[in-house]
Amino acid sequence: MERLDAFMARANAAYYATHDPFRDFTTAPEISQVFGEILGLWAAVVWQDLGAPDPVLLVEAGPGRGTLMADALRAIRRAMPAFHAALRLHLIETSPRLREVQGAVLPGAVWHDGLATLPQMPLILLANEFLDALPIRQFVRRGDTRMERYIEDGRFVEVAVCESEPPFPLAGGEASSLPDGSILEHNESARALVTALAHRLTTHQGASLFLDYGPAVSAPGDSLQALRAGKPADPLGPLGEADLTAHVDFAALAAAARTAGAAVHGPLPQGVFLTRLGLFQRTGVLARAQAPTRAAALMAAASRLAEPDRMGRLFKALALSSPQANALPGFA
Ligand code: SAH
């Protein structure tokens, strides 16, 4: 019998070790180069607002194929060469296979398994669809008893939670008022990461930007999903064959970051954030230099990222910064 978070961590480690995840799902940087370019320019403006620290860490957590960072660095080099010269590129990635893919497009990068080993200096961190891959726990309300979901022989089983466990986690909500059978999710790894990052931002200047999918307000429900070859699959199916993710609980992460002393910006719908940062203007400029079919594809890609019924509303942007930092671009 294995707790869901342990199972999810094992399943995703097996998945990322053996698969090119981008055959199974498409992420924003793979949809449009403008996504990474805009995030690079966001980082450049933040760097200037921080007083142009040199050296500064530019970190990406979960860089996938390295596309976002390659696009970001290209835009940074053009728009702000001084930032390009000052930045030290560090990547948080556990998959040896993806580290190799990233190394081919991001020469000079330094890899880490987590935040703890990053050098102590000012930092700007970007992460797209990273938090959703971190393992969750699921609790179930059964009358007055709290149960937790484990996996046994390929099926979910419920086990009573020890009295010593903290109460049902639900940021801003009363779990006891939920209907019987309600599922509450808790992402300990994501909270630990955000808390550690927030602590760092109180001792070193900086900011970090997370883009991911999930509701702005914590809500009960089972959001565990598996994607295999672009289609929903059974999360408890063959281990390592599908990508497992869950909704990011932005309210819980924002609360954890505030408690640890960081300033919190957002969450904002991704469409609002990218539009404010000039997604359509930049795409328009790029499209004008292209043949009509390519230009139309670029505009369609931008719409897919920003329109509310596509990725514009379910996806959110959440940023943390040092408590004394000004408003961040796109959030003001
Ligand atoms: N940001 C990329 C990839 C998203 S897929 C994009 O937008 O295309 C998730 C990424 O996070 C992969 O690179 C995966 O290997 C990495 N990852 C997943 N769990 C991780 C963990 N616990 N620690 C570090 N990296 C992890």
Side-chain angles (χ1 to χ4, degrees), residues 29 55-56 58 70 93 101 105 129 135 145 182 191 211 219 228 276 289:
V56 61
L58 180 62
E93 174 61 68
V101 174
V105 288
E129 290 211 48
T145 316
S182 295
R191 281 197 207 202
L211 290 126
R228 186 178 177 179
R276 283 185 184 167

Side-chain angles (χ1 to χ4, degrees), residues 27-28 30-35 38 269-275 278-284 286-287 294-315:
T27 55
E30 306 294 337
I31 292 171
S32 171
Q33 69 180 74
V34 180
F35 184 80
I38 280 186
Q270 169 171 291
V272 172
F273 179 70
L274 294 178
T275 302
L279 172 70
F280 290 100
Q281 285 91 326
R282 279 192 71 77
T283 303
L286 198 65
R294 171 84 183 119
L298 282 166
M299 294 308 283
S303 300
R304 180 168 168 195
L305 296 179
E307 276 175 11
D309 58 346
R310 312 288 296 280
M311 293 168 78
R313 185 165 34 217
L314 178 59
F315 281 74

Side-chain angles (χ1 to χ4, degrees), residues 12 16 21-22 25 27-30 35 60-65 67-68 92-95 98 102 112-114 127-130 132-135 243:
N12 272 343
Y16 286 109
F22 306 95
F25 58 93
T27 55
E30 306 294 337
F35 184 80
E60 186 179 356
R65 279 181 176 161
T67 309
L68 188 165
I92 296 174
E93 174 61 68
T94 41
S95 159
L98 286 176
Q102 293 153 14
H112 302 264
D113 287 333
N128 182 60
E129 290 211 48
F130 169 69
D132 66 12
L134 300 182
D243 173 65

Side-chain angles (χ1 to χ4, degrees), residues 109-180:
V110 179
W111 282 268
H112 302 264
D113 287 333
L115 279 181
T117 51
L118 289 174
Q120 299 295 324
M121 62 172 84
L123 130 158
I124 299 173
L125 179 145
L126 305 174
N128 182 60
E129 290 211 48
F130 169 69
L131 297 172
D132 66 12
L134 300 182
I136 58 161
R137 295 173 69 179
Q138 288 185 333
F139 298 93
V140 190
R141 178 179 151 85
R142 297 278 175 218
D144 289 333
T145 316
R146 293 185 295 150
M147 308 295 280
E148 178 161 12
R149 296 181 96 188
Y150 283 65
I151 286 101
E152 189 172 46
D153 300 328
R155 289 182 311 115
F156 280 114
V157 292
E158 293 180 7
V159 176
V161 174
C162 281
E163 285 307 314
S164 60
E165 282 269 350
F168 263 140
L170 183 64
E174 231 341 291
S176 56
S177 63
L178 293 173
D180 210 47

Side-chain angles (χ1 to χ4, degrees), residues 1-8 136-137 148-151 165 188:
M1 198 168 61
E2 190 174 24
R3 213 167 75 181
L4 175 59
D5 54 346
F7 172 83
M8 190 173 166
I136 58 161
R137 295 173 69 179
E148 178 161 12
R149 296 181 96 188
Y150 283 65
I151 286 101
E165 282 269 350
E188 285 179 345

Side-chain angles (χ1 to χ4, degrees), residues 6-61:
F7 172 83
M8 190 173 166
R10 211 157 55 83
N12 272 343
Y15 176 77
Y16 286 109
T18 52
H19 282 70
D20 182 348
F22 306 95
R23 277 197 336 229
D24 293 320
F25 58 93
T26 311
T27 55
E30 306 294 337
I31 292 171
S32 171
Q33 69 180 74
V34 180
F35 184 80
E37 290 172 356
I38 280 186
L39 298 197
L41 298 176
W42 182 90
V45 173
V46 168
W47 176 72
Q48 258 186 336
D49 288 347
L50 291 171
D54 181 0
V56 61
L57 293 180
L58 180 62
V59 182
E60 186 179 356

